[in-house]
Amino acid sequence: MTTLHLPLDRSGGLPLHRQIYDGIRAAILAGALRPGQRIPSTRGLAAELGVSRLPVLAAYEQLLHECYLEGRTGSGTYVSQALPDELLESQPASDVARSAPRVPPERDYGGLAPFRTSLPALDRFPHAAWARLVARHAQRLPLAHMAYGDPAGLPVLRAAIADHLRAARGVGCSAGQVLVVSGSQAALRIAAAMLLAPGDGVAMEEPGYSGARAALAAGGALLLPVPVDEAGIDIDALRRADRVRAAYVTPSHQYPLGMSMTAARRLALLDWARREDAWVLEDDYDSEYRYVSRPLGALQGMDAHGRVIYIGTFSKVLFPALRIGYLVVPPSLVQDAVRARLAFDLFPPTLYQSALAEFLAEGHFARHLRRMRGVYQARRAALLDGLVRYCGDRLVVHNADAGLHVAVLLPDGLDDTDLVQRMGERGLTATALSTCYAGAVRRSGLLLGFGGSDERRLLEATRVLGEVLRAAD
């Protein structure tokens, strides 16, 4: 077994997992580690370096993802046999390290570190079935699909999405009301273009999703923070706001705090929209996963007056890099939405649309959802157990009823952004709750994602988080 010499600088600003990644990658590129050579296990290297396994796991995962390493079941981890020859020309490791691009710690490894929010279980995705469908459609891609496509998306995928939304989310729509987009922010940009004039007010949940704020602000909207409580957005505060043309809400699973909007509050919001001739932008993210009750129906399904614009994506139920989402608009707005879409990027890419339509039609999507509910239930339980075991006296779980993250509150006076930076130095990532506020009054807390890590990694991550919390006292 190879022994790795990886000097670590514990006093510097570069996280340990990045130093380990850089050191192994440099050794491979310099020829010190050759293709097919076995390297130490994560446990062995962690012991050798005197660090926890977490940064070693993060480094190995990224090296595996980038194909510098390969795992062999029951055997161990090896330098990849498939590295191009031109990469293996001997060069000083320092030169390699200097040439390696630097990215902020929270973006290291594609966001695969424990507690990354909004990350699904990529390890449980049915890769073989998906690859087969993509290959099949790539090989027989019709000439029509290689030219300019429908700005609203492939009709077969729009129909499949509409069928799914009617059955699973209680959304009242036809295929003609569905537009295929690249994600929720693209959907919001299209909604802003067709509904808002520059300077129109949009009520935003406070705290809320910063990505939605950025997308709507880019469309020229005037953002108006409206507080939320345990029932959802405060309707009285919404009524007092001036010149509000639309309200952005996450009713099934409020981001970031996690509660669900009550039926009474939903009806009051719809009544406000009808009376004010305003629009409701419903972001139905994370709606498929609930752990204390059955999934709640969409707000759009309660709308009798066509005031709700419904937004969803496949990022969390499948994988983020798919970049396929959807916008459901009332029939009266379909042509406006298509014109707004044409002004952005003409039409969505065709290949993945074709594969996804068949993925839904063949039942892969429904089976995957059923399997993942059990997976996430177990991962959530492991996170909550670890928080009680290692962090129980230093934080309070605010809400863990649904979705792929848990919101926790920190003691007064503890800076959550500083804590997130300290976590990054230990191979963890998280979102500081305070960054979800637009106003000056902010709560200190963390959003801890559990979808992308298995139970073992989550327990280890909570142990490290406990150490970081104690060191921050």
Side-chain angles (χ1 to χ4, degrees), residues 173-392:
C173 69
S174 66
Q177 294 172 247
V178 177
L179 275 76
V180 179
V181 295
S182 62
S184 61
Q185 288 173 279
L188 288 169
R189 290 297 307 275
I190 292 171
M194 69 178 176
L195 299 176
L196 306 175
D200 278 349
V202 178
M204 306 294 296
E205 295 175 321
E206 174 77 343
Y209 176 42
S210 61
R213 289 200 298 263
L216 291 167
L222 175 65
L223 306 184
L224 306 170
V226 176
V228 298
D229 57 28
E230 289 304 308
I233 194 168
D234 185 333
I235 301 299
D236 289 336
L238 179 60
R239 290 180 179 130
R240 291 192 297 268
D242 293 331
R243 298 186 298 117
V244 177
R245 180 67 174 150
Y248 169 85
V249 293
T250 51
S252 294
H253 181 222
Q254 200 276 334
Y255 186 92
L257 296 178
M259 59 278 193
S260 299
M261 189 180 293
T262 63
R265 193 66 62 88
R266 292 176 181 223
L267 291 172
L269 177 61
L270 292 172
D271 181 66
W272 166 84
R274 179 183 63 83
R275 290 176 181 273
E276 298 295 327
D277 192 26
W279 302 97
V280 176
L281 307 177
E282 178 183 10
D283 189 343
D284 202 28
Y285 89 105
D286 267 359
S287 57
E288 291 83 2
Y289 303 120
R290 292 191 64 81
Y291 310 107
V292 297
S293 67
R294 293 183 58 83
L296 303 174
L299 172 68
Q300 193 267 7
M302 303 173 66
D303 178 21
H305 300 283
R307 309 309 302 178
V308 176
I309 312 298
Y310 181 86
I311 296 164
T313 82
F314 291 96
S315 292
K316 298 178 187 66
V317 291
L318 297 179
F319 58 97
L322 180 61
R323 305 315 302 149
I324 293 182
Y326 41 86
L327 180 69
V328 179
V329 301
S332 61
L333 291 179
V334 169
Q335 292 306 312
D336 290 337
V338 169
R339 281 193 290 270
R341 174 58 194 265
L342 281 168
F344 280 105
D345 61 354
L346 296 184
F347 68 98
T350 313
L351 176 58
Y352 276 8
Q353 288 188 78
S354 302
L356 181 57
E358 194 163 352
F359 191 82
L360 271 71
E362 289 188 354
H364 299 292
F365 181 74
R367 286 191 294 273
H368 182 60
L369 273 184
R370 287 195 297 270
R371 285 194 299 266
M372 297 317 297
R373 289 189 178 109
V375 169
Y376 293 137
Q377 182 86 36
R379 294 185 176 188
R380 167 184 173 270
L383 173 58
L384 295 177
D385 177 53
L387 291 176
V388 170
R389 187 183 308 181
Y390 299 114
C391 313

Side-chain angles (χ1 to χ4, degrees), residues 28 66 69 106 118 154 170 174 263 314 321 365 372 393 409 413 435:
I28 293 172
E66 295 179 358
L69 300 179
E106 63 270 19
S118 305
L154 285 181
S174 66
F314 291 96
F365 181 74
M372 297 317 297
D393 59 340
L409 303 179
T435 64

